Amino acid sequence: MDALLKTLFSSEEEELYVLDCLSYLMMVMALITFVALLFEHVPYGRYASSRFGFPVNVKLAWFVQEMPSFLLPLSLVLWSSSSKIIHLPNQLLLLMFVCHYMQRSLIYPFLIRGGKSTPFISLVLAFVFCIYNGYLQGRYLSHYADYPADWVTRPCFIIGSCMWSLGWIINMHSDHILRNLRKPGETGYKIPRGGMFEYVSGANFFGEIVEWAGFALAGQSIHSAAFALFTLIVLSSRGMDHHKWYLTKFEDYPKSRKALIPFLL
């Protein structure tokens, strides 16, 4: 891995500059995505379309597309110079990232019941993004992020870590509720109930937004902030679309339930 990195970059200063540029590029991509999503749904799940390529089994798609964000950071730590990973703040922040994607790639896909196929182009775009972001977060935290020795005792890290944990739990619990909406043999959509679904239509999206906002708060870097912004743009759009869809689909849908932010939006 070191040999590859030395081929790509003439110095550590150059690689860090590229990592910074990738972060700003991700923010620009987030703004472009925001505009695009005003006219088009994210093409997977109930919004999947044949316009975006041939269908791929949903379990296989989730397994393949999320895997780079799990394997790349681990590979960078194990097989490249990772001078900062000996420090506790770097270890904990990278653990947050890897834990999420371990669950997303190795556990979540195999818990899916039914589920619509994923269009091939959607899979490719997600796969490329996970390579991009896996390298960005993994390399920065393992080799460049420089935190004071007392960083883990500072309010921003403590609050951010708590937000990450809460968001992760909400996300996984909401996925559990969605998986168990239908009894064996049942088909069609149902109104999700329980947990954060009592307050918002996009409870799973809300959880993941909180999760990565906490990660960004704990990490205090342009790299984590860019990822949190991109997540906010994509998942807030999906949450709003789901809310509108539920209101159209079900006459008895709870009127007090918000789209994404409890009691507000």
Side-chain angles (χ1 to χ4, degrees):
M1 187 70 78
D2 270 334
L4 174 61
L5 293 171
K6 287 178 180 178
T7 301
L8 294 172
F9 307 106
S10 59
S11 66
E12 290 189 348
E13 289 75 15
E14 182 183 0
E15 185 181 19
L16 181 57
Y17 174 74
V18 169
L19 290 170
D20 292 344
C21 289
L22 289 174
S23 300
Y24 289 113
L25 178 60
M26 186 179 288
M27 289 185 165
V28 173
M29 288 166 53
L31 297 178
I32 294 172
T33 300
F34 173 77
V35 175
L37 291 177
L38 295 176
F39 306 97
E40 183 69 65
H41 296 299
V42 180
Y44 71 92
R46 68 191 63 174
Y47 310 112
S49 169
S50 59
R51 293 187 296 115
F52 294 92
F54 60 85
V56 179
N57 177 273
V58 65
K59 293 184 179 183
L60 176 62
W62 275 101
F63 174 75
V64 170
Q65 71 191 30
E66 304 293 300
M67 187 60 73
S69 281
F70 172 59
L71 290 183
L72 261 176
L74 289 181
S75 300
L76 288 166
V77 169
L78 293 173
W79 296 305
S80 71
S81 53
S82 304
S83 59
K84 301 297 184 181
I85 202 62
I86 61 173
H87 303 297
L88 184 60
N90 303 65
Q91 292 172 356
L92 293 177
L93 286 163
L94 193 56
L95 183 64
M96 293 179 196
F97 188 82
V98 170
C99 278
H100 174 91
Y101 282 101
M102 179 182 69
Q103 196 273 341
R104 266 292 183 253
S105 60
L106 297 180
I107 299 174
Y108 173 76
F110 305 102
L111 296 176
I112 294 174
R113 298 179 180 178
K116 291 189 175 181
S117 297
T118 300
F120 179 71
I121 293 177
S122 298
L123 185 159
V124 170
L125 291 175
F127 181 76
V128 171
F129 178 81
C130 283
I131 292 175
Y132 184 128
N133 196 45
Y135 165 69
L136 177 62
Q137 308 301 332
R139 186 61 172 165
Y140 178 72
L141 288 172
S142 67
H143 195 61
Y144 291 106
D146 194 10
Y147 295 103
D150 66 342
W151 187 256
V152 297
T153 66
R154 296 190 180 185
C156 63
F157 185 87
I158 294 172
I159 295 171
S161 298
C162 290
M163 286 176 61
W164 181 88
S165 300
L166 178 62
W168 195 35
I169 291 169
I170 291 172
N171 180 246
M172 289 192 294
H173 182 245
S174 300
D175 284 341
H176 171 76
I177 290 173
L178 291 173
R179 279 195 301 272
N180 290 278
L181 280 178
R182 292 185 289 267
K183 296 177 181 178
E186 287 185 332
T187 59
Y189 289 97
K190 289 189 173 184
I191 299 174
R193 301 186 186 278
M196 285 302 298
F197 281 112
E198 295 299 316
Y199 304 97
V200 292
S201 298
N204 48 337
F205 307 130
F206 170 74
E208 191 160 348
I209 289 170
V210 170
E211 186 181 347
W212 296 121
F215 177 73
L217 179 60
Q220 296 280 297
S221 71
I222 188 65
H223 316 82
S224 57
F227 180 35
L229 175 63
F230 194 90
T231 300
L232 173 64
I233 295 295
V234 173
L235 296 188
S236 61
S237 172
R238 196 158 178 85
M240 297 295 288
D241 288 341
H242 272 32
H243 186 66
K244 294 174 184 176
W245 185 89
Y246 280 125
L247 289 172
T248 303
K249 180 78 172 178
F250 299 102
E251 292 184 2
D252 59 338
Y253 195 73
K255 303 303 180 185
S256 62
R257 190 178 296 185
K258 300 299 183 181
L260 195 66
I261 303 174
F263 311 111
L264 296 176
L265 179 64

